[in-house]
């Protein structure tokens, strides 16, 4: 988590709030991947188990809730009524898109697409001089070798007023709900009865240990957007050489994500007052995954 005294934190916090989320419970898909094209791939996104990171990390192997839940049911030695009902629901092929591989969830892919089409145009603006910033606002360039001109620019930017504007053409957050393959009563019984687990299938500690367990969080909302534009205005007294230097930086990425955004284009403009505007635009008329809100798995246990 970034420091609350950084502009990064302020912008990300405003972004999460734009979608009625808390930054501490939101994972940004900072590379802005395309919204999946098939229901199967979309469900895999909903079914993935979040690990509580601020940004989605594609290098971390994913667990899937429906798979872990199935192992939990199989691990129960004794089968009281709640577990029996849970197994019957889980084994009912009508509750799956692809039996025991792709479960049914709400919302569907089409529901999300329709919600995006019918949504408003979200917009936020954050100015660095309106908040108590004690950490330099824009000295983070993700390149291994920083040139002297870039270092000098960073020092100038530390004294600047930064205005960050982020606009989406359309956006929507939809609540994520399990299909009938899931039984809260069975899940609760398994959690409350660790002595009933066959550890050769999967152990209670493997699933629920507070430090190392697989299930700490579950997805609660998915946020998808159509188009995104980020504009960063930097006050100061710059020149054409500054623009040329910025344009020469390889693999340039942009605040507040500092990750290469899906097929985006970036431009630098020297304004009449010698300030600089940096503008990033993603391809238009496409839907993107912006983030996932998550909650503690303990919400399923109350």
């Amino acid at each position: 988590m970034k420091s609350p005294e950084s502009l990064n934190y302020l912008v990300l916090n405003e972004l999460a709030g734009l979608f009625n989320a808390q930054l501490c419970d939101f994972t940004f898909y900072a590379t802005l991947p395309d919204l999946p094209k098939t229901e199967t791939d979309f469900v895999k996104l909903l079914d993935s188990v979040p690990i509580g990171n601020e940004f989605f990390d594609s290098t971390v192997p994913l667990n899937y809730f429906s798979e872990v839940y199935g192992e939990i049911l199989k691990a129960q030695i004794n089968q009281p009524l709640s577990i029996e009902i849970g197994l019957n629901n889980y084994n009912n092929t009508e509750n799956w898109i692809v039996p025991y591989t792709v479960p049914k969830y709400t919302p569907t892919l089409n529901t999300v697409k329709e919600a995006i089409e019918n949504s408003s145009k979200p917009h936020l603006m954050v100015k660095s001089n309106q908040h108590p910033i004690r950490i330099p606002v824009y000295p983070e360039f993700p390149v291994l070798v920083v040139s002297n001109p870039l270092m000098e620019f960073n020092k100038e930017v530390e004294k600047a007023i930064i205005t960050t504007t982020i606009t989406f053409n359309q956006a929507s957050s939809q609540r994520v709900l399990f299909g009938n393959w899931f039984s809260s009563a069975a899940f609760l019984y398994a959690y409350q009865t660790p002595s009933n687990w066959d550890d050769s299938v999967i152990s209670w500690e493997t699933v629920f240990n507070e430090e190392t367990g697989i299930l700490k969080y579950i997805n609660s909302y998915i946020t998808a957007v159509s188009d995104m534009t980020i504009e960063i205005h930097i006050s100061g007294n710059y020149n054409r050489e500054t623009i040329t230097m910025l344009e020469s930086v390889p693999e340039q990425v942009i605040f507040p994500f500092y990750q290469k955004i899906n097929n985006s284009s970036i431009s630098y403009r020297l304004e009449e007052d010698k300030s600089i505007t940096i503008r990033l635009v993603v391809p238009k008329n496409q839907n993107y995954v912006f983030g996932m809100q998550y909650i503690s798995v303990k919400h399923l246990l109350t």
Side-chain angles (χ1 to χ4, degrees):
M1 181 69 69
K2 292 177 170 58
S3 168
E5 296 181 342
S6 72
L7 188 61
N8 287 47
Y9 175 90
L10 291 171
V11 175
L12 293 174
N13 191 52
E14 291 289 327
L15 275 171
L18 192 65
F19 300 107
N20 299 313
Q22 300 290 322
L23 181 56
C24 60
D25 300 323
F26 196 87
T27 295
F28 291 94
Y29 280 63
T31 59
L32 217 64
D34 293 347
L35 189 69
K37 299 294 191 293
T38 69
E39 191 71 28
T40 295
D41 289 340
F42 178 68
V43 166
K44 285 293 184 184
L45 179 65
L46 303 184
D47 198 36
S48 61
V49 176
I51 59 175
N53 283 1
E54 189 172 67
F55 294 108
F56 177 75
D57 186 351
S58 60
T59 66
V60 176
L62 291 175
N63 289 299
Y64 295 96
F65 182 82
S66 61
E67 294 178 4
V68 177
Y69 174 67
E71 291 297 296
I72 292 172
L73 293 177
K74 293 175 187 176
Q76 301 310 299
I77 299 170
N78 298 313
Q79 295 185 1
L81 182 59
S82 60
I83 296 298
E84 185 178 335
I85 292 173
L87 282 166
N88 287 339
N89 291 342
Y90 190 84
N91 292 326
N92 186 344
T93 57
E94 292 183 0
N95 295 331
W96 298 76
I97 298 172
V98 178
Y100 321 123
T101 304
V102 184
K104 290 183 178 179
Y105 268 87
T106 299
T108 65
L109 178 59
N110 283 337
T111 299
V112 171
K113 288 180 178 178
E114 291 172 1
I116 295 172
E117 291 174 1
N118 296 323
S119 67
S120 58
K121 187 174 184 177
H123 168 96
L124 71 82
M125 179 184 292
V126 177
K127 297 188 72 170
S128 63
N129 64 337
Q130 295 177 346
H131 303 275
I133 306 295
R134 296 184 179 86
I135 293 176
V137 283
Y138 197 72
E140 302 179 48
F141 280 82
V143 290
L144 295 177
V145 179
V146 179
S147 64
N148 286 333
L150 187 53
M151 292 178 66
E152 291 300 316
F153 174 71
N154 289 347
K155 292 177 183 178
E156 288 296 316
V157 169
E158 288 181 23
K159 301 177 288 186
I161 296 173
I162 313 293
T163 303
T164 305
T165 305
I166 302 179
T167 304
F168 305 94
N169 184 39
Q170 294 169 305
S172 179
S173 289
Q174 296 291 310
R175 188 179 180 186
V176 177
L177 296 171
F178 303 123
N180 291 332
W181 52 270
F182 175 76
S183 168
S184 58
F187 191 75
L188 178 60
Y189 176 86
Y191 175 79
Q192 293 179 333
T193 320
S195 61
N196 192 46
W197 290 52
D198 178 353
D199 290 352
S200 67
V201 179
I202 194 170
S203 71
W204 190 98
E205 285 290 324
T206 298
V207 177
F208 292 119
N209 182 282
E210 291 188 3
E211 297 297 326
T212 61
I214 296 171
L215 291 183
K216 294 187 183 72
Y217 309 104
I218 56 168
N219 292 318
S220 57
Y221 283 84
I222 178 172
T223 298
V225 302
S226 173
D227 310 345
M228 180 179 74
T229 300
I230 300 177
E231 276 200 357
I232 300 173
H233 180 262
I234 305 172
S235 68
N237 186 23
Y238 307 101
N239 53 39
R240 175 52 56 184
E241 286 72 23
T242 307
I243 299 297
T244 302
M245 180 273 299
L246 288 172
E247 291 174 338
S248 70
V249 176
E251 293 299 317
Q252 182 60 285
V253 294
I254 197 168
F255 163 93
F257 302 129
Y258 299 113
Q259 297 189 43
K260 190 67 176 177
I261 296 177
N262 187 354
N263 295 318
S264 61
S265 62
I266 188 169
S267 62
Y268 306 88
R269 185 173 69 245
L270 184 65
E271 306 291 359
E272 291 184 3
D273 64 357
K274 305 301 181 183
S275 63
I276 290 176
T277 298
I278 302 175
R279 192 169 192 263
L280 178 141
V281 180
V282 299
K284 295 187 178 298
N285 302 316
Q286 294 187 39
N287 294 329
Y288 302 95
V289 179
F290 187 73
M292 300 287 286
Q293 188 175 348
Y294 57 87
I295 57 175
S296 169
V297 75
K298 291 181 180 178
H299 280 74
L300 293 179
L301 304 169
T302 56

